[in-house]
């Protein structure tokens, strides 16, 4: 059986499962009947309670699990308000063709709102635009597509790299030797963060990038990658890291080998925040930012508002949080797992501002 045939069968199976028993579904909310007076009815009728689905390229990572819990909590609030009738989550397990099939099935099943965390910045554009043409509100968050016909909710990844690299350049006084820890080559988030970092480092010719390492955003492979680079460049004075597990891997390596602790940029990965808090007394310093889980809530709120006829921005860029030595204690959670991503909740008033309310 050829690879293409296998992929076609997988996509077909996913579509069939969704149309039938929602086999791809990992969480199924209670479905209630839509109230009388749905959209298009008399002007005095209440807005239609919406049928909402979320298609995500992955669900296994802890960041996704936190996102799911946050989304479900907000769905519960909207159900209590009569704005959402039903909600389901669909996991594409890393298969973009399966994600396309899921979205197509949601079009067929006449969902009112489709949320998407995309596995590709371009491959999903046609089916998402087809959903929009069918009258469905589509909101994309976190991993964004290029289509301008859907609501997109994200952060500025280039600014992420720019902000943390500038902190490191300032910390080093504009000179030194660093290891760059980036995500997998070709992944848009990694490429954009490094693009911002490079803009900064090019202004400092006395900062030498001794090694540019690419690793999965997981602790074990990142630790192996950093250890290899560090063994070749033990005289580094800093580490630019664009992922929390990557930062934790670098700091753990220095601690385990009893080496001098150098400044390392980071993310709100709790394992890194814990170690940072522990080593702060020894002079270790860092800066971290976050891809907030509440992007999902903002996307949901924007879609629900648009479905009710309210104008919302087509692109919503959420400000990047900044975690420093001074406010670290507000973020680190000593009693929570290392692979969690602590973040301060966003007030409804801030969501309203982002939606232009």
């Amino acid at each position: 059986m050829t690879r293409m045939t296998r992929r076609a069968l997988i996509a077909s199976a996913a579509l069939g499962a969704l149309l039938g028993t929602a086999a791809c579904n990992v969480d199924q909310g209670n479905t209630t009947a839509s109230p009388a007076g749905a959209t298009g009815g008399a002007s005095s009728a209440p807005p239609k309670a919406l049928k909402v689905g979320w298609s995500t390229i992955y669900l296994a990572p802890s960041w996704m699990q936190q996102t799911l819990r946050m989304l479900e909590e907000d769905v519960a609030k909207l159900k209590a308000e009569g704005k959402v009738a039903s909600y389901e989550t669909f996991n594409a397990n890393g298969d973009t063709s399966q994600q396309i099939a899921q979205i197509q099935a949601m079009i067929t099943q006449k969902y009112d709102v489709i949320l998407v965390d995309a596995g590709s910045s371009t491959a999903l554009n046609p089916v998402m635009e087809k959903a929009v043409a069918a009258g469905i509100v589509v909101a994309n968050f976190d991993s964004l597509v290029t289509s301008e016909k859907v609501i997109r909710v994200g952060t500025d990844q280039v600014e992420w790299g720019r902000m943390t690299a500038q902190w490191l350049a300032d910390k080093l006084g504009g000179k030194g030797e660093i290891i760059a820890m980036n995500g997998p080559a070709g992944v848009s988030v990694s490429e954009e963060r490094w693009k911002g970092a490079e803009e900064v480092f090019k202004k400092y010719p006395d900062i030498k990038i001794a090694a540019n390492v690419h690793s999965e955003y997981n602790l074990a492979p990142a630790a192996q990658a950093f250890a290899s680079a560090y063994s070749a460049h033990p005289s580094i004075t800093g580490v630019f890291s664009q992922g929390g597990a990557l930062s934790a891997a670098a700091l753990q390596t220095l601690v385990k080998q009893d080496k001098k602790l150098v400044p390392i940029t980071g993310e709100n990965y709790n394992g890194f925040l814990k170690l940072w808090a522990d080593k702060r007394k020894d002079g270790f310093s860092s800066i971290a930012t976050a891809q907030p889980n509440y992007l999902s809530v903002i996307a949901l709120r924007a879609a629900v508002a648009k479905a009710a006829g309210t104008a919302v921005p087509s692109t919503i860029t959420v400000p990047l949080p900044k975690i420093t030595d001074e406010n670290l204690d507000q973020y680190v959670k000593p009693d929570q797992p290392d692979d969690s991503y602590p973040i301060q909740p966003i007030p409804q008033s801030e969501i309203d501002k982002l939606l232009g309310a």
Side-chain angles (χ1 to χ4, degrees), residues 158-181:
V158 176
E159 176 58 23
W160 176 312
R162 194 182 292 132
M163 177 178 73
T164 53
Q166 186 63 60
W167 176 88
L168 183 58
D170 292 342
K171 201 71 178 177
L172 298 179
K175 59 182 178 181
E177 184 179 20
I178 68 172
I179 291 175
M181 292 290 288

Side-chain angles (χ1 to χ4, degrees), residues 323-337:
I323 306 172
T324 65
D325 293 321
E326 289 71 32
N327 68 6
L328 172 61
D329 294 337
Q330 299 174 25
Y331 288 88
V332 63
K333 302 298 180 186
D335 58 339
Q336 293 184 12

Side-chain angles (χ1 to χ4, degrees), residues 134-150:
I136 299 170
V137 179
V138 180
N140 167 217
F141 66 90
D142 179 38
S143 182
L144 301 182
V145 299
T146 56
S147 174
E148 297 181 353
K149 295 184 178 180
V150 304

Side-chain angles (χ1 to χ4, degrees), residues 2-357:
T2 65
R3 176 178 296 181
M4 181 175 295
T5 302
R6 287 198 299 271
R7 291 176 68 84
L9 287 174
I10 290 171
S12 176
L15 177 60
L18 182 56
L19 288 170
T21 60
C24 298
N25 169 272
V26 295
D27 175 77
Q28 186 166 344
N30 294 326
T31 301
T32 57
S34 298
T39 301
S43 59
S44 60
K48 172 188 175 184
L50 304 170
K51 184 176 182 180
V52 179
W54 174 35
S55 172
T56 178
I57 187 64
Y58 290 111
L59 199 59
S62 56
W63 189 91
M64 287 295 186
Q65 289 294 316
Q66 285 187 224
T67 296
L68 173 62
R69 288 194 295 273
M70 192 170 288
L71 195 53
E72 288 180 331
E73 289 172 2
D74 204 58
V75 164
K77 294 176 185 176
L78 291 170
K79 281 185 176 179
E81 296 171 9
K83 296 179 179 177
V84 170
S86 65
Y87 167 80
E88 296 183 17
T89 299
F90 302 94
N91 179 11
N93 290 307
D95 188 332
T96 302
S97 63
Q98 186 170 349
Q99 192 168 28
I100 292 171
Q102 290 171 346
I103 296 170
Q104 176 58 55
M106 282 190 273
I107 296 172
T108 303
Q109 294 190 347
K110 300 186 182 305
Y111 275 67
D112 301 298
V113 168
I114 298 177
L115 306 177
V116 179
D117 198 327
S120 166
S121 61
T122 56
L124 301 180
N125 283 345
V127 72
M128 292 170 72
E129 291 177 359
K130 182 179 179 181
V132 172
I136 299 170
V137 179
V138 180
N140 167 217
F141 66 90
D142 179 38
S143 182
L144 301 182
V145 299
T146 56
S147 174
E148 297 181 353
K149 295 184 178 180
V150 304
I151 301 170
R152 293 179 296 179
V153 182
T155 57
D156 186 337
Q157 302 299 322
V158 176
E159 176 58 23
W160 176 312
R162 194 182 292 132
M163 177 178 73
T164 53
Q166 186 63 60
W167 176 88
L168 183 58
D170 292 342
K171 201 71 178 177
L172 298 179
K175 59 182 178 181
E177 184 179 20
I178 68 172
I179 291 175
M181 292 290 288
N182 286 303
V187 171
S188 61
V189 167
S190 175
E191 299 295 321
E192 290 181 9
R193 291 176 186 174
W194 179 239
K195 177 183 177 182
E198 273 194 309
E199 288 179 13
V200 173
F201 291 136
K202 285 180 179 177
K203 296 188 295 184
Y204 299 93
D206 291 332
I207 293 179
K208 178 185 176 184
I209 300 170
N212 191 338
V213 179
H214 292 276
S215 170
E216 297 177 28
Y217 291 112
N218 292 316
L219 189 60
Q224 185 175 12
F226 179 80
S228 176
Y230 183 68
S231 65
H233 305 282
S235 61
I236 60 166
T237 55
V239 176
F240 170 81
S241 167
Q242 53 134 295
L246 310 182
S247 307
L251 183 53
Q252 283 184 359
T253 300
L254 296 182
V255 171
K256 287 179 180 177
Q257 296 186 13
D258 196 24
K259 301 295 185 182
K260 179 183 178 181
L261 302 182
V262 299
I264 301 172
T265 62
E267 187 186 12
N268 65 328
Y269 177 79
N270 201 36
F272 176 66
L273 300 185
K274 286 181 181 178
L275 198 50
W276 174 5
D278 181 55
K279 295 301 176 183
R280 186 173 43 179
K281 64 181 183 301
D282 299 326
F284 175 72
S285 183
S286 181
I287 187 173
T289 185
Q291 182 79 334
N293 303 92
Y294 53 67
L295 294 179
S296 60
V297 172
I298 296 171
L300 174 62
R301 291 282 173 165
V304 170
K306 185 172 182 178
T310 303
V312 299
S314 58
T315 299
I316 300 173
T317 302
V318 178
L320 290 166
K322 184 182 290 185
I323 306 172
T324 65
D325 293 321
E326 289 71 32
N327 68 6
L328 172 61
D329 294 337
Q330 299 174 25
Y331 288 88
V332 63
K333 302 298 180 186
D335 58 339
Q336 293 184 12
D338 285 359
D339 63 351
S340 59
Y341 290 80
I343 193 68
Q344 300 294 307
I346 185 171
Q348 184 60 48
S349 58
E350 293 299 316
I351 295 177
D352 291 342
K353 287 181 184 178
L354 290 167
L355 300 187

